[in-house]
């Protein structure tokens, strides 16, 4: 491809060796914040990446995320498969849910409030924490919550709406019991309770909400939760935090994975952001998986070439399979295998660098960096959503590591469901409007929110 057409199809990228990531000389414009407070009724929560504070390169952080993401992708697909093949409703099992995640949020529970870090998960609904008396609990960073020491704790009855919203509740004299499985042998089970939850970054702006239903887990098993004391589901189902708060809007803004500043979750109204570009696309509901945030992806372009992808590739099938979900808990974007093969072929042909075939990174598409060169050209990458085109800045899809001498595409192939991951969402305010049933992408410098 001719370099004189660079403004249309090629992105000039500077490799900043000292911090080991790809930085474009130009990218999608970022919004500037007019004010730092969200409007009355809303509040903000600081998020931190699960690998923050660790001495890792950006590529190493991505590799850790890929290891977590493979299991998560399998769980998500297994959940769809389970829902589409269940024929005998008398054989009820706890369905497979997406567990773990990439970001942690701080909140407090009870009266007096006890602070604990929780995994943020847009791929599941239940809010839960480990509770005393604990028959089996994993090691967590904070003391285990003891409901007997809180004056606002109560057990929810079997007739409560939230109990009926559980996948497979059981009843006892103690109230509503739950079992919630995450598909990789991770699970939590215990009593469904009601408590006061406190949110907010500082005491002046904290908000306390009474009667939040949550799982008080007395038996919690599996890997992936050790950095947190529980999980907060932000899915579309009735058990999730956004549903219980009856918020019609929430958004998050994820800083670059190697940024020292933290990301943010906004519940309620948005901050005013001046954005020269934003893309709004409809949310799709999958009747077999109503909790997931399915988005309307129609195609992908590499440079000025729109890939030849079957129209049905990114659509939800009648059996509930396929489709594209947006997920904060998956690191890289996974594209249906045939579409990814087309992307890989076109991206490789347009990138004037030797292909790295060592397989040392865990990523499918890598290139050898020229010795001593600080700038390389890579093709632009555009996701065509119904409602608009989202052009990704270079750092949202190319990861470079000078010690290995490679630059890699932060995407992979999937079999069935596609996932728009959090690397691709960096420095974009992602607004979920549950009333309008839309997702809006607003390019934003997240570390200034």
């Amino acid at each position: 491809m001719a370099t004189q057409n660079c403004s249309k199809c090629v992105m000039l990228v500077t490799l900043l060796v000292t911090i080991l990531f790809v930085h474009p000389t130009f990218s999608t414009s970022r919004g500037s914040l007019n004010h730092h407070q969200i409007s009355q009724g809303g509040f903000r929560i600081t998020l931190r990446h699960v690998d923050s504070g660790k001495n890792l390169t950006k590529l190493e952080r991505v590799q850790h995320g890929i290891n977590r993401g493979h299991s998560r992708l399998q769980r998500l697909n297994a959940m769809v498969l389970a829902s589409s093949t269940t024929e005998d409703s008398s054989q009820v099992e706890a369905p497979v849910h997406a567990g773990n995640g990439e970001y942690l949020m701080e909140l407090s529970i009870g009266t007096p409030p006890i602070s604990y870090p929780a995994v943020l998960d847009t791929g599941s609904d239940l809010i839960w924490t480990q509770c005393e008396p604990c028959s089996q609990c994993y090691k967590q960073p904070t003391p285990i919550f003891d409901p007997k020491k809180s004056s606002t704790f109560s057990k929810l009855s079997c007739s409560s709406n939230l109990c009926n919203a559980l996948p497979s509740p059981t009843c006892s004299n103690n109230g509503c019991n739950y079992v919630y499985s995450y598909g990789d042998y991770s699970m939590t089970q215990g009593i469904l309770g009601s408590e006061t939850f406190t949110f907010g970054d500082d005491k002046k702006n904290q908000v306390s909400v009474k009667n939040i239903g949550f799982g008080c887990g007395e038996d919690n098993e599996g890997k992936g939760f050790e950095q947190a004391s529980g999980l907060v589901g932000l899915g579309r189902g009735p058990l999730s935090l956004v549903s219980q708060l009856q918020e019609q809007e929430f958004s998050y803004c994820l800083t670059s994975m190697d940024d020292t500043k933290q990301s943010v979750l906004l519940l309620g109204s948005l901050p005013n952001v001046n954005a020269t570009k934003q893309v709004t696309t409809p949310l799709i509901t999958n009747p077999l998986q109503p909790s997931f945030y399915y988005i309307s992806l129609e195609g992908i372009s590499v440079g000025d070439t729109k890939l030849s992808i079957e129209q049905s590739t990114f659509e939800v099938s009648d059996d509930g399979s396929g489709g594209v979900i947006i997920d904060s808990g998956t690191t890289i974007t996974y594209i249906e295998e045939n579409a990814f093969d087309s992307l890989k072929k076109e991206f490789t042909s347009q990138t004037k660098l030797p292909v790295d075939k060592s397989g040392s990174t865990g990523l499918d598409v890598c290139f050898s960096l020229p010795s001593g060169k600080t700038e390389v050209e890579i093709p632009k990458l555009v996701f065509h959503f119904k409602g608009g085109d989202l052009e990704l800045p270079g750092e949202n899809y190319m990861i470079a590591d000078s010690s290995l001498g490679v630059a890699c595409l932060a995407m992979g192939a999937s079999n069935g469901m596609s996932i728009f991951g959090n690397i691709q969402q960096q420095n974009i305010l992602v607004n979920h409007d549950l009333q309008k049933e839309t997702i809006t992408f607003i390019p934003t410098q997240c570390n200034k929110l």
Side-chain angles (χ1 to χ4, degrees):
M1 185 162 294
T3 55
Q4 59 263 34
N5 293 329
C6 181
S7 62
K8 294 182 179 179
C9 58
V10 177
M11 181 174 290
L12 186 64
V13 174
T14 302
L15 298 179
L16 299 183
V17 175
T18 55
I19 55 177
L20 307 181
F21 78 109
V22 177
H23 179 75
T25 54
F26 67 91
S27 62
T28 308
S29 57
R30 302 288 188 227
S32 59
L33 194 66
N34 283 343
H35 60 83
H36 292 265
Q37 301 296 324
I38 55 180
S39 67
Q40 188 175 3
F43 51 91
R44 61 183 290 150
I45 301 171
T46 295
L47 306 176
R48 59 184 173 89
H49 193 268
V50 292
D51 288 329
S52 64
K54 298 178 182 178
N55 187 23
L56 300 171
T57 66
K58 189 170 185 179
L59 179 59
E60 288 170 336
R61 293 173 191 269
V62 171
Q63 289 170 326
H64 283 201
I66 290 171
N67 291 334
R68 293 185 291 263
H70 281 155
S71 298
R72 187 174 177 86
L73 182 61
Q74 291 170 358
R75 287 193 295 272
L76 293 168
N77 277 317
M79 183 176 179
V80 173
L81 181 64
S83 65
S84 63
T85 57
T86 299
E87 296 178 356
D88 185 354
S89 59
S90 66
Q91 294 180 351
V92 179
E93 295 181 0
V96 180
H97 290 270
N100 306 352
E102 293 288 293
Y103 289 88
L104 304 175
M105 58 186 284
E106 292 286 339
L107 65 158
S108 297
I109 181 172
T111 306
I114 303 298
S115 178
Y116 78 97
V119 172
L120 171 76
D121 189 9
T122 54
S124 66
D125 295 329
L126 184 68
I127 306 164
W128 63 269
T129 188
Q130 298 196 116
C131 284
E132 299 285 7
C134 209
S135 61
Q136 179 158 334
C137 281
Y138 60 84
K139 185 179 180 180
Q140 67 177 45
T142 59
I144 294 173
F145 178 68
D146 188 346
K148 292 182 179 179
K149 295 181 179 179
S150 172
S151 63
T152 47
F153 175 82
S154 62
K155 296 174 183 178
L156 288 179
S157 71
C158 288
S159 61
S160 66
N161 291 334
L162 290 180
C163 183
N164 291 326
L166 285 165
S168 54
T170 57
C171 291
S172 69
N173 294 332
N174 291 328
C176 179
N177 299 316
Y178 76 93
V179 178
Y180 216 71
S181 171
Y182 290 90
D184 59 349
Y185 306 106
S186 296
M187 53 81 70
T188 174
Q189 65 178 349
I191 298 170
L192 195 66
S194 174
E195 254 299 4
T196 297
F197 280 70
T198 303
F199 308 92
D201 287 352
D202 56 69
K203 291 184 179 180
K204 290 183 180 179
N205 297 314
Q206 282 183 341
V207 175
S208 292
V209 184
K210 298 179 180 179
N211 302 319
I212 295 290
F214 76 108
C216 205
E218 298 173 356
D219 184 353
N220 313 285
E221 303 171 23
K223 298 179 180 179
F225 299 122
E226 289 84 357
Q227 297 182 75
S229 302
L231 186 143
V232 172
L234 286 180
R236 299 167 80 177
L239 290 162
S240 78
L241 179 62
V242 288
S243 295
Q244 292 196 55
L245 293 177
Q246 298 183 335
E247 288 287 2
Q248 296 301 316
E249 272 188 285
F250 79 93
S251 57
Y252 53 77
C253 205
L254 307 178
T255 60
S256 177
M257 193 180 287
D258 53 359
D259 197 323
T260 57
K261 293 197 174 180
Q262 294 177 324
S263 303
V264 64
L265 168 68
L266 303 169
L267 285 153
S269 299
L270 282 170
N272 288 335
V273 177
N274 290 330
T276 57
K277 264 187 173 183
Q278 65 181 50
V279 175
T280 298
T281 190
L283 276 170
I284 299 169
T285 299
N286 180 352
L288 293 176
Q289 294 303 330
S291 292
F292 290 166
Y293 295 98
Y294 284 87
I295 51 178
S296 308
L297 181 62
E298 296 182 331
I300 301 172
S301 286
V302 177
D304 60 355
T305 301
K306 189 169 184 179
L307 301 177
S308 296
I309 299 173
E310 289 283 341
Q311 185 175 354
S312 61
T313 299
F314 300 126
E315 295 176 353
V316 177
S317 302
D318 292 340
D319 64 358
S321 63
V324 183
I325 67 167
I326 182 168
D327 184 31
S328 63
T330 302
T331 301
I332 67 173
T333 287
Y334 290 94
I335 296 294
E336 190 278 331
E337 190 172 12
N338 290 333
F340 181 75
D341 288 343
S342 297
L343 188 152
K344 178 179 178 179
K345 182 178 179 181
E346 186 63 33
F347 197 90
T348 301
S349 70
Q350 290 190 31
T351 303
K352 307 306 179 184
L353 292 171
V355 175
D356 178 82
K357 298 181 180 180
S358 66
S360 60
T361 64
L363 289 159
D364 291 325
V365 184
C366 292
F367 304 93
S368 298
L369 295 174
S371 179
K373 193 171 182 180
T374 59
E375 291 186 343
V376 296
E377 289 180 350
I378 57 170
K380 291 183 180 180
L381 196 57
V382 181
F383 281 70
H384 302 288
F385 292 102
K386 184 177 181 180
D389 298 337
L390 182 64
E391 179 187 321
L392 296 178
E395 67 267 25
N396 283 31
Y397 59 95
M398 286 299 285
I399 308 294
D401 192 315
S402 62
S403 63
L404 295 177
V406 296
C408 300
L409 179 67
M411 297 178 66
S414 67
N415 186 5
M417 177 189 290
S418 299
I419 302 178
F420 193 66
N422 63 54
I423 287 281
Q424 283 65 44
Q425 299 174 55
Q426 289 178 160
N427 286 314
I428 297 174
L429 185 66
V430 182
N431 181 47
H432 300 62
D433 192 317
L434 306 181
Q435 186 172 26
K436 296 179 180 177
E437 295 190 332
T438 59
I439 292 275
T440 299
F441 300 100
I442 308 171
T444 306
Q445 198 63 47
C446 294
N447 59 14
K448 294 183 179 179
L449 278 177

